[in-house]
Amino acid sequence: MAKDGEKGDWKEFIWNPRTREFLGRTASSWGLIFVFYLVFYIFLAGLFALTMYVMLQTLDDHKPTWQDRLSTPGMVMTPKTDETFEIIYTVQDTESWDIYTQTLEKFLSSYNESVQVQKNEECVPDQYFEQKDSGDVKNNPKRSCQFNRTMLGECSGLHDRYYGYNLGKPCIIIKLNRVIGMLPGKDGQAPYITCGAKREDTNKIGELEYFPPNGTFNLMYFPYYGKKAQVNYSQPLVAIKFLNVTANQDVNIECKINANNIPIGSERDKFAGRVSFKLRINSK
């Protein structure tokens, strides 16, 4: 009988026909609770929507409202086939270096003169190409300067489609990471790239040749205004040709950016203003 009594109590809790209560509450009580939570969540949704609206009014579609100022931009090298930053091949084995030349050719295709003439314009060299807005009137889209692959000389791939890899004189290409508003240099002194071997490999690296001359990034390619504001922007490049690296040995190389207003990168960040890689040219 006790069990029957407990069963009856549960039935009455779920639905009590005498008081017409469902789960201990009348219909009016449930209705008030529903109205309260409905109003409460509508208020929360409205507050969230208002907050998002106010925040979106502070955003610029072409430039981030808040931007951490990078004191030292990162650098990227091409070619690299993986994350190990190694260029290893055998001169006599075409298949071992063909991937590098294909990577370079694909990378430089957007720097063909026909593409650059169509999208960008010739700029006055050795000075910043600033395109300021007029108050609230945005000067968009902003123009970009031409960078033709012809400026890379023997590393352009136009006269040597193998980029020197078949002769044991390979080319690599370096670019700076894009940083909105960065002016890398003052008093008309353009930033430039220098490469050298790590201490233990100093006698193995041999002679280097830079394109453009002295490995400079011309000032006319700065400042950068952002992907949406400057849709046709072409990053300037520097090519390095290794003329007589010691064969059949690992050579650890570091390239870094030099400028009179860019501090030297920290040892804790291997990508701050420099890039390191291993080069090994095997010869049978």
Side-chain angles (χ1 to χ4, degrees), residues 89-101:
Y89 73 95
T90 301
V91 174
Q92 294 83 2
D93 183 3
T94 304
E95 292 184 358
S96 69
W97 49 260
D98 186 58
I99 183 64
Y100 299 126
T101 59

Side-chain angles (χ1 to χ4, degrees), residues 3-67:
K3 291 184 177 179
D4 291 340
E6 292 177 359
K7 188 175 182 181
D9 290 342
W10 274 107
K11 285 183 176 180
E12 284 193 2
F13 175 75
I14 296 174
W15 171 248
N16 190 327
R18 290 180 292 101
T19 59
R20 303 185 67 81
E21 292 180 347
F22 177 69
L23 295 178
R25 293 184 181 276
T26 62
S28 60
S29 178
W30 279 114
L32 289 174
I33 291 176
F34 174 78
V35 170
F36 169 79
Y37 280 105
L38 179 64
V39 173
F40 177 68
Y41 284 114
I42 288 177
F43 171 77
L44 289 182
L47 182 63
F48 175 77
L50 177 62
T51 303
M52 291 299 297
Y53 174 78
V54 172
M55 292 182 62
L56 289 173
Q57 299 310 302
T58 66
L59 300 180
D60 189 329
D61 289 339
H62 299 90
K63 181 181 179 181
T65 304
W66 303 103
Q67 179 183 358

